[in-house]
Amino acid sequence: MGTVLVNGTPVEIGANERLNVIQVADRAGVEVPRYCWHPALTVVASCRMCLVETGEKKPDGTIAMVPKLVPGCQTPVKDGMVVVTNSEKVKTAQAQTLEYLLLNHPLDCPVCDQAGECWLQDYSYRYGHAHSRLHEPKIRRPDKNYIGDEITLFTDRCVMCSRCVRFTREISGTAELQIINRGSHAEIDIFPGEPCNNKLAGNVVDICPVGALCSKDFLYKQRVWWLQMKESVCPNCSTGCSITIDQNNETIYRLRPRYNPQAQGHFMCDEGRFGFKYVHHPDRLGEPLALPKAGPPANDWPAVLAGAQSALHETAQRNPAGLLGLLSPWMTCEEAFLLAKYLKSLSPQVRLALGPVPVEGEDDRYPKGVDGRPLANTLFTIRAEKCPNRAGVAAILQHFEGKVVTFDEIKTDFSDGRVEALYAVGGYRLPWLADSDRSWLSALKLLIVQDILPSPASGLAQYLLPGGSFAEKDGTFVNHAGLAQEIHRAVRCPGQAWPDGRILWDLAGRRGLFHAPTLRAEIGTEIGALAALRSGRLGSLGHLLSEGAADQASGGPLPTWAPSPSFPPAPPVAGPPSPPPPHHSTPKHPAASGAKP
Amino acid sequence: MPTFEPVLLRRVGKESGQSLAGYRADGGYQATKKALGLAPDEVTKIVKDSGLRGRGGAGFPTGVKWTFLPKDHPGPIYLCVNADESEPGTFNNRILMEHDPHQILEGIMIAAHAIKCHTAYIYLRYEFGRSYRTLDRAIRECYDNNLLGKNILGTAFSLDVYLHRGAGAYICGEETGLLESLEGKRAWPRIKPPFPAVEGLFRKPTIVNNIETLACVPHIIERGVDWFRSIGVPPDPNNPRDAGSLGPKLYCISGHVNNPCCVELPLGITARALVDDFGGGVWKGRKVKACVPGGISMGFLSAAEMDTPLDFNGPLRVGCLGLGTAAAIVVDDQTSMVDVLFNCCRFMAHESCGQCTPCREGTDWSRKILQRIQAGQGTLSDLDTLTEIAQSMGTIPGTTICGLADGAAWPIKNAIQKFRDDFEHYIQSGRKTAVAVTA
């Protein structure tokens, strides 16, 4: 326990917390500008932007300040410490450091991707000067588009914070990025012929505070102030990285990781980062279709849903055990709950099974050692299970079916006719059925397919219900560790497709509109394993299922292994898309009120 | 002035400095025998009591530094010998290495024993080819004669000495820059804490000492603490923080003098006496304009400040950074300080490692400004800009990771402060010594 004075404001620090001055100042709502410090990387204290004055408060109340400035990032705080960030000395140092950084910095703002989220812009505005005193030519350096397949470098914009170099050494372990030359001629570069193509490469673009390292995918596409931001979760593997979806005019332009100590930390992999293009694929299913074996076709939602409903009713009455609901691990908990509950309401003998769970290779752990094998202390994992919610859907199936039947187990029932009617939900990013599956699919008496992309099943379905991708719906994903996180709708479904929650809500004949928080409360009350959903809201960082019910409203107990509620504070709960500036002045984590040790 | 009988330089040019046999015949390695008979802590205490201060530039009390090592550390503890002598104007280490390598090795042995170290690295700047060959030969002689390796002189003490060559960077002379380079990485100085004594080479406790500092050690052991303390300037009795300026010092004199040389004298000689009595006076019958007191990082003495004693306190009193390496460079009165300062800034800009913002940008900026002044395009406001750069680069304490920025800032600060007329006249007269400004 202890108290630190930051510009006169007392800040509590816990007994087991190890914080630096930047983190403590953040708690007091005071920004200490910095470039090279990053909470996930080693401290180098080289940018000198975070210089502050420190001192200590003696027992008799007098304050003794240290005569020299110290970098906030390398100064651990302790009880009784006094931090001053707004003195003339500090302000002069900040202004001077910014002048140095801008000295040779090209005036690229009008053409630079980083504009609007650039720390050089932001800090210059807040702490620097508006004029340059350089009368000599600036150092010019050539651009390097060979840095990586996804990464390009605008060399003369670099401020030598070395975050990218440290990232490739400490987080990915692949060490592709290095610094060449000495002094003011230092540049970021790669070893010739060995570009930065590791699977975490995209993160260096995020951590670069200026527009030096840019994403080739996003280059020149958007100005960041045009982008609307929505909190979500990456669906491409069971790590379930917390992300932000940046979209403009119903088009997603990029995904960025959101810090979540319980989910994945600070980063995300390239598979997830660049793996959203399927959302805007021209082949996306966009029209509901009813092509019954008997009766007129239809292509409007009410008619299609009514047709599907009556077909399901008919099958359930005649041969309930022959009706199977195949729930994809890409469904949200709410969707799985709605479908399972509805199908079981038709008859308790209706069967439910888990759709195919895509698995590719093994979990890919980082950082790598020099031999390419992962080191013992894993900092990031790309999981082999390439779907977002197997755990959540399995919990639903466990409750309604009593067991989780896998797709492999149920497959034989198709060919020997024990299943004659199938309600299949897809939502997979990649093809999940093969051409060879057409044989048993076409033998079905009733096939209802709810999916986002065409498949052998969608072509054979009597009822085709076009659904939404992860970016087009509200819901809950549960990751490999049992962390339940909220996803939020960032863009509209294409064509006439509906978010799956809406489809299933109407199909189940429920009144009103699909509303994820209300449905979570229902799920949490009904299913013990998902009691954590009971409050309806899971916050920005999600909630562990193992923690049981959480009363988020009063900022209840934190999950046991979370680090102290310290830097950075969580961004606001999903709501209106006000873009939070990176790391700065975001509201405190609800539990960081300082009440707990 | 009475001539000081050289101790460190006594074998220069003599047989006794050129081989192990000669060195031994002259009484060499007796101190080692004596030291190995003492406990390590006793040796440390002797060196501490002697008041020996580091000769590499910082002047930190050597024995005190040795006590910073953690007690009862499982080891290994390393000794790194800083032979990267790169401070402009300094060449005394080179003379010691080329002419009396065994004196240095003996100092290394005694120091290693005192700090319980069994592996020592000599980090030698690449450009010193002859020093490399003499040291290498001396080390081999030691190994062949049970003076290095296992069980030295039949005692339980073992020591390996590795001679490692640098690759041409001034920043490798910075202690943590040296450690990084020795580990095979870019010589980017580390942030402190942790200090090398706690976490140094390969993250083990490490002591880094200068060549000249270690050369003093055998003499302290052999002739005693009182002898060492009888030389130089004793600590000020009224100032408990004054560690004195004790022992003999190798002064380098270069620049515009008749007799550039390296001379061994008790600490405390004035700059004027050094130049006139040992440097042969200013050349070509000219007068002194400025004198660098201890390598260019320390700044400049003006002509009026030539009576400053060159000990650890003297230069500080007249606004210089310190004694540094005690390498005096004399500038005559027909030389413009603009050219001198440009030379200093060019060196620092070239050698800055580039890690921290003020040094990386400030050194290059100041070089460019001076180049522009030299090209006849300077303005008076440039002098204020230069002063401000010097201020933020180094004079405000704490702005950078290592002292190179301070060493870059001080010459600018001193030059403009003490020789402002020179600069103003240069600018206003439209004088030109360079043609164009290069980026």
Side-chain angles (χ1 to χ4, degrees):
Chain A
M1 289 298 282
T3 313
V4 175
L5 276 176
V6 178
N7 294 346
T9 311
V11 177
E12 293 297 313
I13 52 171
N16 294 326
E17 293 191 287
R18 299 181 62 201
L19 302 172
N20 64 28
V21 166
I22 298 180
Q23 293 171 313
V24 139
D26 211 74
R27 246 186 225 186
V30 171
E31 177 188 60
V32 173
R34 87 291 290 203
Y35 290 106
C36 63
W37 181 72
H38 188 284
L41 303 171
T42 52
V43 175
V44 286
S46 62
C47 71
R48 311 317 274 186
M49 196 66 223
C50 68
L51 293 176
V52 292
E53 287 196 75
T54 57
E56 61 171 320
K57 190 167 185 182
K58 301 255 193 297
D60 63 4
T62 54
I63 293 177
M65 299 299 287
V66 172
K68 66 180 200 172
L69 297 168
V70 293
C73 62
Q74 73 166 89
T75 309
V77 296
K78 54 186 207 291
D79 183 33
M81 191 176 225
V82 173
V83 172
V84 174
T85 72
N86 52 11
S87 66
E88 280 314 302
K89 223 173 175 179
V90 172
K91 287 186 191 167
T92 310
Q94 289 169 340
Q96 196 68 54
T97 307
L98 280 165
E99 179 170 22
Y100 282 137
L101 288 169
L102 286 166
L103 206 62
N104 287 300
H105 193 81
L107 216 50
D108 278 359
C109 294
V111 298
C112 174
D113 261 15
Q114 201 84 4
E117 55 184 18
C118 172
W119 294 20
L120 207 49
Q121 279 182 341
D122 292 348
Y123 292 157
S124 296
Y125 192 72
R126 287 175 215 158
Y127 309 104
H129 298 137
H131 52 272
S132 171
R133 294 187 286 179
L134 183 73
H135 299 290
E136 296 79 19
K138 295 195 177 199
I139 301 174
R140 297 303 318 276
R141 301 175 235 258
D143 298 340
K144 299 175 185 171
N145 64 359
Y146 53 77
I147 292 289
D149 290 348
E150 303 288 349
I151 317 286
T152 183
L153 172 66
F154 293 93
T155 323
D156 39 23
R157 296 180 193 165
C158 173
V159 292
M160 273 292 134
C161 70
S162 76
R163 280 173 157 207
C164 56
V165 175
R166 282 176 284 142
F167 178 86
T168 60
R169 269 152 226 257
E170 297 163 22
I171 308 293
S172 71
T174 46
E176 296 103 331
L177 296 177
Q178 56 165 324
I179 298 175
I180 60 169
N181 300 343
R182 189 172 67 208
S184 61
H185 295 282
E187 296 177 11
I188 301 292
D189 210 331
I190 52 163
F191 192 81
E194 298 194 9
C196 182
N197 285 336
N198 67 76
K199 291 196 186 153
L200 304 180
N203 290 298
V204 301
V205 176
D206 290 340
I207 59 177
C208 179
V210 297
L213 286 166
C214 289
S215 155
K216 285 180 180 170
D217 182 59
F218 184 66
L219 192 63
Y220 301 138
K221 287 206 176 132
Q222 286 285 302
R223 281 320 211 174
V224 300
W225 54 85
W226 297 334
L227 295 170
Q228 310 278 350
M229 300 170 194
K230 213 40 167 238
E231 290 184 359
S232 188
V233 174
C234 174
N236 287 359
C237 85
S238 60
T239 300
C241 295
S242 300
I243 59 170
T244 305
I245 302 176
D246 292 341
Q247 60 92 3
N248 183 20
N249 225 359
E250 306 301 328
T251 304
I252 302 175
Y253 284 98
R254 66 176 181 184
L255 304 180
R256 286 177 294 134
R258 250 187 319 127
Y259 175 58
N260 188 340
Q262 291 174 87
Q264 90 286 6
H266 290 91
F267 308 111
M268 74 187 291
C269 75
D270 283 7
E271 231 170 78
R273 178 187 296 273
F274 301 118
F276 64 88
K277 304 302 166 82
Y278 70 95
V279 172
H280 296 305
H281 200 279
D283 291 348
R284 279 286 300 273
L285 299 173
E287 203 189 3
L289 277 177
L291 297 167
K293 295 208 161 117
N299 63 355
D300 61 294
W301 278 107
V304 172
L305 285 174
Q309 261 178 344
S310 63
L312 286 165
H313 266 271
E314 191 274 321
T315 309
Q317 279 175 341
R318 183 173 46 77
N319 178 10
L323 171 57
L324 176 72
L326 193 62
L327 275 59
S328 153
W330 280 72
M331 293 173 89
T332 62
C333 295
E334 294 80 353
E335 293 156 11
F337 177 80
L338 283 172
L339 181 58
K341 191 158 185 172
Y342 169 65
L343 288 177
K344 283 295 188 186
S345 75
L346 298 175
S347 160
Q349 286 157 331
V350 170
R351 290 192 286 164
L352 302 171
L354 180 63
V357 177
V359 173
E360 280 173 38
E362 287 180 5
D363 285 356
D364 195 6
R365 292 184 291 119
Y366 291 86
K368 307 289 186 196
V370 286
D371 58 1
R373 295 207 302 254
L375 294 176
N377 186 26
T378 298
L379 296 175
F380 192 90
T381 309
I382 307 173
R383 289 194 158 73
E385 189 175 279
K386 303 294 182 193
C387 54
N389 197 25
R390 182 190 57 80
V393 174
I396 303 285
L397 289 172
Q398 182 69 34
H399 174 79
F400 283 101
E401 185 77 357
K403 57 182 163 43
V404 180
V405 180
T406 65
F407 184 64
D408 286 334
E409 287 167 356
I410 203 74
K411 225 170 159 183
T412 45
D413 286 18
F414 292 121
S415 40
D416 63 18
R418 262 184 292 165
V419 171
E420 62 163 63
L422 175 63
Y423 192 118
V425 181
Y428 295 80
R429 176 167 83 103
L430 297 170
W432 61 288
L433 291 166
D435 273 344
S436 56
D437 291 313
R438 277 181 210 279
S439 54
W440 59 263
L441 283 166
S442 43
L444 294 166
K445 292 211 177 90
L446 172 65
L447 177 57
I448 304 176
V449 172
Q450 181 179 320
D451 208 343
I452 58 171
L453 286 164
S455 69
S458 64
L460 294 166
Q462 280 85 55
Y463 295 94
L464 183 59
L465 312 171
S469 68
F470 79 102
E472 294 152 353
K473 51 197 189 179
D474 288 352
T476 306
F477 284 156
V478 178
N479 78 353
H480 72 106
L483 178 69
Q485 297 187 77
E486 294 186 23
I487 63 169
H488 303 108
R489 200 181 101 170
V491 292
R492 292 186 127 105
C493 292
Q496 293 179 68
W498 278 4
D500 301 54
R502 184 177 176 191
I503 300 175
L504 293 165
W505 185 272
D506 283 6
L507 185 72
R510 288 185 176 227
R511 302 195 53 185
L513 296 171
F514 173 90
H515 183 237
T518 314
L519 200 46
R520 273 181 216 127
E522 186 184 331
I523 298 173
T525 315
E526 189 170 321
I527 304 183
L530 297 172
L533 271 54
R534 204 163 62 200
S535 67
R537 300 222 181 253
L538 302 169
S540 283
L541 303 180
H543 197 72
L544 283 167
L545 295 181
S546 56
E547 287 289 306
D551 189 1
Q552 287 303 100
S554 70
L558 281 180
T560 40
W561 75 59
S564 53
S566 52
F567 183 85
V573 171
S578 51
H583 296 306
H584 316 304
S585 52
T586 41
K588 292 187 207 183
H589 188 281
S593 52
K596 314 232 166 314
Chain B
M1 121 148 250
T3 6
F4 177 75
E5 191 61 41
V7 176
L8 300 170
L9 294 182
R10 80 157 190 248
R11 297 188 196 91
V12 171
K14 307 224 174 54
E15 270 285 338
S16 48
Q18 291 179 24
S19 70
L20 175 58
Y23 186 76
R24 273 184 141 150
D26 193 46
Y29 289 115
Q30 292 302 318
T32 306
K33 243 198 209 126
K34 188 169 167 188
L36 290 177
L38 300 167
D41 287 346
E42 289 180 283
V43 179
T44 302
K45 185 170 189 308
I46 293 172
V47 172
K48 193 168 162 193
D49 289 345
S50 74
L52 170 66
R53 291 172 69 164
R55 303 314 200 210
F60 194 86
T62 308
V64 175
K65 193 197 268 193
W66 293 358
T67 65
F68 288 164
L69 290 165
K71 314 275 178 270
D72 308 320
H73 190 277
I77 297 176
Y78 293 109
L79 173 65
C80 289
V81 182
N82 192 342
D84 191 63
E85 185 170 66
S86 304
E87 183 65 41
T90 319
F91 43 88
N92 58 64
N93 287 359
R94 184 175 71 130
I95 290 173
L96 284 172
M97 287 188 279
E98 287 179 4
H99 293 278
D100 199 352
H102 282 286
Q103 179 176 230
I104 298 164
L105 290 175
E106 195 172 6
I108 293 174
M109 282 172 219
I110 297 171
H113 172 62
I115 64 173
K116 299 182 203 147
C117 149
H118 304 288
T119 309
Y121 294 91
I122 304 176
Y123 188 100
L124 175 65
R125 71 177 285 182
Y126 189 87
E127 292 91 332
F128 282 175
R130 191 179 296 161
S131 301
Y132 173 71
R133 289 183 287 278
T134 47
L135 274 172
D136 191 51
R137 185 162 159 256
I139 291 171
R140 276 177 220 279
E141 284 182 311
C142 285
Y143 270 102
D144 291 340
N145 286 276
N146 190 224
L147 283 161
L148 281 176
K150 301 241 176 295
N151 301 114
I152 294 174
L153 295 175
T155 65
F157 180 65
S158 302
L159 175 66
D160 281 318
V161 173
Y162 296 97
L163 184 54
H164 178 94
R165 300 181 82 172
Y170 172 67
I171 196 65
C172 292
E174 202 278 339
E175 101 185 312
T176 54
L178 188 156
L179 297 177
E180 288 285 292
S181 177
L182 208 44
E183 291 182 8
K185 306 185 276 195
R186 279 174 75 86
W188 273 18
R190 301 174 182 172
I191 51 175
K192 293 166 274 258
F195 289 87
V198 172
E199 210 175 286
L201 190 62
F202 308 121
R203 309 193 80 187
K204 303 287 183 215
T206 305
I207 295 291
V208 183
N209 278 138
N210 177 267
I211 288 271
E212 191 190 337
T213 313
L214 291 170
C216 291
V217 170
H219 303 288
I220 294 173
I221 299 291
E222 199 172 312
R223 304 185 194 205
V225 164
D226 292 336
W227 161 79
F228 194 81
R229 292 190 79 93
S230 71
I231 306 167
V233 181
D236 178 1
N238 297 326
N239 181 359
R241 296 173 135 216
D242 181 18
S245 303
L246 297 161
K249 182 79 188 72
L250 297 183
Y251 287 91
C252 301
I253 314 167
S254 60
H256 298 156
V257 290
N258 286 314
N259 181 32
C261 64
C262 175
V263 60
E264 184 178 347
L265 296 164
L267 270 165
I269 188 169
T270 65
R272 191 185 310 280
L274 183 66
V275 170
D276 291 342
D277 300 344
F278 296 94
V282 184
W283 71 349
K284 300 185 182 172
R286 296 178 187 171
K287 291 204 166 43
V288 71
K289 175 186 257 187
C291 180
V292 170
I296 61 170
S297 295
M298 301 298 124
F300 304 99
L301 301 169
S302 67
E305 293 164 343
M306 288 300 285
D307 291 307
T308 305
L310 295 177
D311 60 20
F312 287 108
N313 292 328
L316 280 164
R317 278 189 232 112
V318 289
C320 291
L321 188 51
L323 177 64
T325 55
I329 308 174
V330 176
V331 178
D332 71 24
D333 56 1
Q334 302 218 12
T335 307
S336 172
M337 286 308 288
V338 173
D339 295 329
V340 174
L341 186 59
F342 170 73
N343 231 0
C344 297
C345 289
R346 183 173 57 89
F347 175 78
M348 289 299 176
H350 185 66
E351 298 294 340
S352 167
C353 78
Q355 196 181 183
C356 18
T357 309
C359 180
R360 180 181 71 242
E361 305 292 342
T363 51
D364 198 53
W365 190 12
S366 45
R367 176 189 65 82
K368 280 186 187 166
I369 294 177
L370 280 161
Q371 213 170 353
R372 182 165 51 78
I373 296 176
Q374 280 188 318
Q377 296 160 7
T379 61
L380 289 178
S381 65
D382 287 331
L383 301 181
D384 299 323
T385 309
L386 280 167
T387 309
E388 215 183 302
I389 295 173
Q391 183 90 357
S392 65
M393 193 161 56
T395 0
I396 299 179
T399 49
T400 54
I401 295 178
C402 84
L404 188 147
D406 300 313
W410 237 268
I412 303 174
K413 180 171 115 132
N414 281 169
I416 296 182
Q417 207 171 38
K418 300 184 186 182
F419 303 95
R420 199 178 182 100
D421 290 343
D422 235 50
F423 285 86
E424 289 186 353
H425 180 257
Y426 194 110
I427 290 168
Q428 285 164 333
S429 70
R431 185 169 162 185
K432 253 190 242 198
T433 42
V435 177
V437 182
T438 52

